[in-house]
Amino acid sequence: MHNTLDTETFTISRTFDAPRALVWKAHADVDRLKQWWGPKGCKLDVMALEFSPSGHFHYSMKYSNGPLMWGRFIYREIVAPDRIVWINSFSDANGGIARAPFPGSWPMEMLNTISFTEHDGQTTLNLRSVPFGASPEERTFFVAAFDPLRQGFGGTYDQLADYLAKSA
């Protein structure tokens, strides 16, 4: 018998040729974060970043041929430089929770944990994401989106790798 949560957990891991302190700063500092966060081809604007427990990150993303999308993080736990835990969701312009701007039953909120480990000057990020307070229909939709999620995070992490290479 398998654990239902295991089948509903999205995971992705990526190793960067950069020390953990730099990779951590890329997540914690607004001027650094806005240079790489988000899917490839998407323009990011940061409305607010309060990188602390109970703090928030509110942003907008815009593809050249698509609608403006808003998102937010509410940070739950920050253990420098090891781990960040946050709830994220799509949002409105004021930072309130909103439905995803695409068809389907995407969960309203996601619980994310990212860990940072360093070995021989390289840093590995391990991200785990699970629906938070989601209906069975939303959880099913989330699991069906694992391949597009891998593509989206792959592009985001490509941008992080480029940023880190320039910052080294």
Side-chain angles (χ1 to χ4, degrees):
M1 182 169 178
H2 67 278
N3 181 339
T4 302
L5 185 59
D6 290 344
T7 62
E8 294 176 358
T9 301
F10 172 77
T11 60
I12 191 165
S13 182
R14 178 85 174 255
T15 300
F16 298 94
D17 191 19
R20 180 167 66 170
L22 181 58
V23 179
W24 178 267
K25 286 177 188 173
H27 286 78
D29 178 82
V30 68
D31 292 328
R32 296 170 190 259
L33 185 64
K34 67 184 178 184
Q35 294 186 52
W36 66 270
W37 176 254
K40 276 188 177 175
C42 205
K43 181 184 180 313
L44 179 80
D45 281 320
V46 176
M47 309 302 102
L49 176 63
E50 182 186 344
F51 189 70
S52 62
S54 300
H56 68 285
F57 171 37
H58 183 220
Y59 58 93
S60 68
M61 297 184 299
K62 173 94 169 90
Y63 289 98
S64 60
N65 61 351
L68 185 64
M69 297 179 286
W70 295 90
R72 76 173 200 180
F73 293 9
I74 303 297
Y75 295 105
R76 299 182 98 189
E77 181 181 355
I78 296 174
V79 181
D82 299 317
R83 180 177 60 254
I84 305 169
V85 180
W86 74 96
I87 299 278
N88 81 282
S89 61
F90 285 96
S91 75
D92 59 27
N94 297 318
I97 296 173
R99 278 272 166 215
F102 48 81
S105 298
W106 186 259
M108 293 291 285
E109 295 182 296
M110 303 297 302
L111 175 63
N112 302 278
T113 303
I114 192 167
S115 63
F116 301 73
T117 55
E118 184 174 353
H119 187 275
D120 291 336
Q122 293 188 318
T123 303
T124 299
L125 296 184
N126 289 299
L127 173 71
R128 295 174 41 90
S129 185
V130 295
F132 184 78
S135 70
E137 180 183 7
E138 290 170 332
R139 290 192 307 267
T140 298
F141 189 86
F142 173 71
V143 170
F146 280 10
D147 285 341
L149 279 171
R150 277 188 216 303
Q151 281 185 307
F153 273 103
T156 297
Y157 286 161
D158 287 348
Q159 293 177 154
L160 176 56
D162 291 345
Y163 167 77
L164 294 168
K166 288 182 226 164
S167 299

